[in-house]
């Protein structure tokens, strides 16, 4: 594979504008535009330095947030020794066992149907106890603090991996394009330029991000040791979620991956194109088939919601048996706490939230690549972002394309 294509295909779309302009420099070499080549080289270096400094500031700042979350988890773990929700499971199991002994005594006196009735009652009591334990654990400060620490750390670690990979690819891009320039022009500027760019190339080694990754790895290990004891059967539950998943990005991936903390089988509802338009007042960039294909590697089952109100469709997906036995729950990002159908969902299963991934959003990608306004596209590419990943101007206003305009074709 050509390196230019490899570079383009393996860099996050949100970061592509900061990358080495390999295509432009290669074009300049081909048409013998040396001045154009060196201008593009300098611009690429300047953009990468800007990118690095911004990510360096973010990484150090967010590390403080992570340290606070792990410290809070330590404190909660220490304080929450009494009133552990899992104790209720143990007590419930004992009561079931005690009732079973009573049952054996009764069946020595009474015949037939009484044994079946008591067995049914015992099973119902056990299901009720387990369901209660699931809700209590999920609602406990210990578990919520653990989930926020664990998900934030895992997301941060993946972000560091992406940053290290991005920097490494761009370092390679500089070396390759300068080698190509020397070969095409018969000159020998590569080593001279690499020496002049030594400070930049040192940044591209990503030493700071690699050091942070080692620290985060230790924090993840500590967080796992502080994980609350979960009721039996917790890991075997089905986890439901609903979304649109347009312009599928790492924020979507991080949420879907984190749902495995609540169970082993993830079921995702996805709005069709028409209901998306009715909900958001804008067209999807990716059609339903593409969006379903994008989420499939991260879920075990998907179903389509052809309405702005998902309630009747999730009701049809959730079996009464799973509701009665407590074998299901619902999870999603914390960017929409009052999500559609929450009252019904919460009445039949526990609801869990996870923190969203900072600095990325479908709005950002949509504005950069699908706005008809070229100046807006470039402005969004280099703009600061809010917590929810939306690009903003200097006054804090969100940069976005006209809601009801037809999007441009993806590049």
């Amino acid at each position: 594979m050509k390196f230019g294509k490899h570079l383009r295909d393996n860099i996050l779309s949100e970061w592509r504008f900061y990358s080495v302009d390999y295509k432009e420099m290669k074009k300049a070499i081909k048409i013998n535009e040396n001045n154009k080549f060196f201008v593009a080289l300098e611009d690429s270096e300047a953009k990468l330095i800007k990118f690095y400094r911004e990510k360096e500031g973010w990484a150090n700042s967010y590390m403080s947030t992570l340290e606070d979350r792990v410290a809070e988890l330590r404190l909660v773990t220490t304080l929450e020794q009494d009133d552990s929700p899992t104790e209720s499971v143990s007590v419930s199991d004992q009561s079931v066992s005690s009732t079973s002994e009573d049952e054996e005594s009764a069946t020595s006196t009474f015949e037939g149907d009484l044994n079946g009735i008591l067995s049914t009652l015992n099973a119902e009591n056990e299901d009720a106890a387990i369901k209660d334990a699931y809700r209590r654990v999920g609602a406990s400060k210990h578990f919520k603090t653990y989930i926020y620490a664990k998900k934030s750390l895992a997301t941060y670690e993946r972000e560091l991996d992406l940053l290290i990979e991005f920097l490494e690819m761009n370092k390679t891009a500089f070396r390759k394009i300068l080698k190509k320039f020397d070969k095409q022009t018969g000159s020998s500027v590569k080593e001279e330029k690499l020496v002049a760019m030594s400070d930049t190339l040192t940044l591209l080694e990503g030493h700071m991000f690699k050091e942070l990754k080692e620290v985060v790895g230790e924090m993840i290990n500590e967080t796992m040791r502080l994980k609350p004891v979960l009721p039996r059967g917790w890991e075997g539950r089905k986890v439901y979620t609903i979304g649109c998943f347009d312009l599928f990005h790492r924020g979507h991936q991080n949420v879907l991956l984190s749902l495995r903390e609540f169970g082993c089988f993830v079921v995702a509802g996805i709005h069709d194109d028409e209901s998306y338009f009715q909900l958001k007042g804008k067209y999807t960039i990716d059609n339903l088939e593409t969006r379903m294909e994008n989420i499939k590697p991260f879920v075990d089952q998907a179903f389509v919601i052809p309405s702005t109100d998902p309630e009747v469709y999730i009701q049809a997906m959730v079996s009464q048996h799973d509701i009665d036995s407590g074998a299901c729950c619902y999870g999603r990002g914390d960017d929409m706490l009052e999500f559609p159908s929450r009252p019904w969902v919460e009445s039949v299963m526990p609801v869990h939230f996870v923190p969203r991934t900072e600095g990325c959003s479908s709005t950002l990608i949509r504005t950069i690549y699908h706005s008809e306004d070229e100046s807006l596209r470039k402005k969004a590419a280099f703009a600061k972002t809010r917590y929810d990943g939306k690009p903003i101007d200097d006054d804090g206003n969100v940069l976005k394309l006209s809601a009801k305009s037809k999007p441009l074709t993806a590049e």
Side-chain angles (χ1 to χ4, degrees):
M1 179 187 293
K2 298 288 186 179
F3 181 77
K5 186 176 188 309
H6 172 78
L7 183 68
R8 184 174 63 254
D9 292 347
N10 289 276
I11 285 179
L12 289 178
S13 55
E14 304 99 301
W15 298 352
R16 197 173 295 161
F17 276 79
Y18 288 98
S19 183
V20 169
D21 198 344
Y22 197 88
K23 182 179 179 181
E24 184 66 19
M25 285 189 278
K26 187 176 177 181
K27 180 181 177 182
I29 293 172
K30 188 174 182 179
I31 61 176
N32 296 316
E33 288 279 358
N34 291 358
N35 289 337
K36 190 174 182 180
F37 173 86
F38 288 115
V39 167
L41 183 69
E42 291 178 7
D43 287 347
S44 293
E45 184 178 6
K47 287 188 299 181
L48 276 166
I49 292 173
K50 181 178 187 293
F51 174 86
Y52 181 93
R53 294 305 181 196
E54 289 179 354
K55 293 302 180 183
E56 179 184 47
W58 167 81
N60 285 321
S61 174
Y62 199 64
M63 175 58 79
S64 298
T65 299
L66 296 174
E67 290 170 345
D68 289 344
R69 287 182 176 173
V70 175
E72 183 182 10
L73 178 59
R74 288 193 206 106
L75 178 62
V76 170
T77 304
T78 300
L79 295 177
E80 201 175 83
Q81 296 301 319
D82 304 324
D83 194 29
S84 173
T86 54
E87 290 179 6
S88 65
V89 180
S90 176
V91 170
S92 297
D93 288 346
Q94 290 172 8
S95 65
V96 169
S97 175
S98 174
T99 306
S100 296
E101 292 173 5
D102 293 342
E103 177 188 339
E104 291 175 6
S105 175
T107 52
S108 66
T109 305
F110 299 101
E111 296 287 339
D113 291 344
L114 183 58
N115 180 49
I117 293 171
L118 289 173
S119 296
T120 301
L121 289 174
N122 289 338
E124 290 176 353
N125 289 338
E126 186 174 6
D127 284 347
I130 291 174
K131 286 171 64 176
D132 180 64
Y134 289 160
R135 286 187 180 273
R136 293 181 64 191
V137 168
S140 70
K141 185 161 183 67
H142 188 176
F143 181 76
K144 288 182 177 179
T145 307
Y146 162 76
I147 280 295
Y148 266 68
K150 172 71 184 302
K151 198 271 185 180
S152 299
L153 286 164
T155 296
Y156 185 77
E157 184 179 47
R158 284 193 286 270
E159 198 77 359
L160 292 177
D161 283 334
L162 291 170
L163 285 168
I164 292 166
E165 182 183 17
F166 176 83
L167 296 176
E168 181 62 35
M169 282 193 292
N170 278 281
K171 180 183 175 183
T172 301
F174 278 130
R175 294 183 179 279
K176 282 186 172 291
I177 200 65
L178 285 167
K179 180 179 179 181
K180 190 177 289 290
F181 180 86
D182 280 355
K183 182 178 180 181
Q184 181 72 19
T185 62
S187 60
S188 55
V189 302
K190 175 186 173 184
E191 295 306 319
E192 176 188 344
K193 286 294 181 182
L194 290 178
V195 169
M197 297 170 62
S198 60
D199 289 344
T200 300
L201 295 176
T202 299
L203 293 181
L204 298 184
E205 293 285 349
H207 292 305
M208 188 205 73
F209 298 122
K210 292 174 183 176
E211 290 171 2
L212 286 174
K213 187 179 175 185
E214 290 184 7
V215 174
V216 168
E218 295 172 359
M219 294 170 72
I220 289 174
N221 290 336
E222 180 182 3
T223 298
M224 293 302 295
R225 291 194 296 271
L226 298 174
K227 181 178 180 178
V229 177
L230 302 175
R232 57 187 174 85
W234 177 284
E235 296 87 352
R237 296 185 301 173
K238 290 180 182 176
V239 188
Y240 290 88
T241 194
I242 291 173
C244 295
F245 306 107
D246 193 29
L247 290 167
F248 195 69
H249 53 72
R250 66 191 189 283
H252 294 132
Q253 294 175 13
N254 291 334
V255 168
L256 292 175
L257 287 170
S258 68
L259 297 184
R260 303 287 176 180
E261 289 285 342
F262 311 117
C264 68
F265 194 89
V266 176
V267 183
I270 184 167
H271 284 279
D272 72 357
D273 297 341
E274 181 59 28
S275 62
Y276 177 99
F277 180 80
Q278 292 176 13
L279 283 168
K280 298 179 177 288
K282 57 188 177 185
Y283 296 95
T284 61
I285 300 299
D286 298 328
N287 62 27
L288 176 62
E289 290 76 13
T290 299
R291 291 185 285 126
M292 292 188 72
E293 183 178 347
N294 287 338
I295 68 170
K296 189 56 181 172
F298 300 89
V299 305
D300 300 289
Q301 190 174 31
F303 64 98
V304 177
I305 302 171
S307 171
T308 57
D309 184 359
E311 186 167 311
V312 67
Y313 301 95
I314 189 171
Q315 286 176 341
M317 288 299 299
V318 181
S319 73
Q320 191 62 46
H321 176 270
D322 285 348
I323 293 173
D324 292 341
S325 63
C328 56
C329 64
Y330 189 96
R332 63 158 295 123
D334 63 2
D335 53 328
M336 185 185 290
L337 299 179
E338 298 304 321
F339 57 88
S341 76
R342 176 169 179 172
W344 179 82
V345 170
E346 206 161 30
S347 72
V348 298
M349 66 181 83
V351 173
H352 306 289
F353 293 100
V354 296
R356 65 166 290 120
T357 301
E358 291 192 9
C360 69
S361 69
S362 297
T363 300
L364 176 60
I365 301 172
R366 188 182 185 99
T367 308
I368 294 174
Y369 291 102
H370 302 284
S371 172
E372 296 177 352
D373 184 341
E374 182 66 23
S375 64
L376 180 60
R377 298 172 72 187
K378 290 185 177 180
K379 187 181 293 186
F382 297 102
K384 294 180 180 179
T385 57
R386 301 191 312 190
Y387 164 72
D388 60 5
K390 294 181 179 180
I392 55 175
D393 60 23
D394 293 337
D395 297 322
N397 300 311
V398 176
L399 301 171
K400 57 183 179 180
L401 65 162
S402 175
K404 295 200 175 185
S405 63
K406 271 284 190 179
L408 299 176
T409 303
E411 294 183 349

